[in-house]
Amino acid sequence: MAQNKKEKQMEKREFSPWQWQDQLSYVQAVEVKNVQGTLYVSGQAAVHADGKSSNADMRTQLGLAIQNLEQVISEAGYDPKNIVRLTIYSTSSDEFIKNCFDLFKAFVAKHGMKQSVTLMQVVALNETLKVELEATVVK
């Protein structure tokens, strides 16, 4: 006798006890239930398809890193709107905030993302890289 199993859909809830982070394009916490899969994406940076690292400025590198992140997520069958955790590694938090933050905000808005975020300044990244994006995505 075949049983009809009602598949539960993923539920995602965001938590932010304050409002100040809204202008920074993130939430304080994300809860996810009934997940069908979780994708842990390695840091995506401004590396071209031929494997060569970009030596461009941070803003240009962020644009390529975002494209690479979107491509990995899409090819794995996930959707960038379901990024629940994003870590940004930057060789200069100050430069990222002053010269790149609008690009980051546009990326978040484009996908309607509601994710937790950490911006971390690091001493260096591989070769000539200035910014790297690491994500956790659910479906």
Side-chain angles (χ1 to χ4, degrees):
M1 175 183 262
Q3 281 186 331
N4 287 340
K5 290 187 178 180
K6 190 173 185 177
E7 191 173 306
K8 292 184 177 183
Q9 288 198 328
M10 179 188 73
E11 297 175 43
K12 185 173 142 186
R13 295 188 326 161
E14 300 88 28
F15 298 92
S16 293
W18 314 282
Q19 293 181 347
W20 58 262
Q21 72 283 322
D22 296 350
Q23 65 184 349
L24 300 174
S25 299
Y26 76 96
V27 297
Q28 295 294 333
V30 179
E31 176 187 46
V32 183
K33 295 180 181 180
N34 302 320
V35 173
Q36 296 173 11
T38 304
L39 182 68
Y40 300 94
V41 184
S42 294
Q44 297 300 304
V47 178
H48 299 284
D50 63 3
K52 291 183 182 175
S53 296
S54 171
N55 59 4
D57 60 75
M58 185 181 291
R59 184 178 180 83
T60 302
Q61 285 196 16
L62 177 60
L64 182 53
I66 288 170
Q67 288 175 10
N68 289 344
L69 180 63
E70 290 170 329
Q71 183 174 351
V72 169
I73 290 170
S74 296
E75 287 192 15
Y78 286 71
D79 190 327
K81 76 177 180 184
N82 289 325
I83 292 174
V84 294
R85 178 85 177 122
L86 184 64
T87 303
I88 303 165
Y89 300 95
S90 171
T91 55
S92 171
S93 295
D94 187 54
E95 182 179 352
F96 183 88
I97 292 166
K98 287 180 181 173
N99 300 327
C100 302
F101 200 70
D102 63 319
L103 193 58
F104 167 74
K105 287 175 73 171
F107 164 61
V108 171
K110 172 184 171 184
H111 295 290
M113 294 163 41
K114 297 286 186 181
Q115 76 295 326
S116 62
V117 172
T118 299
L119 171 60
M120 192 177 308
Q121 182 169 310
V122 295
V123 174
L125 292 168
N126 191 41
E127 300 177 339
T128 57
L129 300 173
K130 297 173 176 26
V131 65
E132 189 169 310
L133 306 172
E134 181 183 76
T136 303
V137 192
V138 295
K139 69 174 174 180

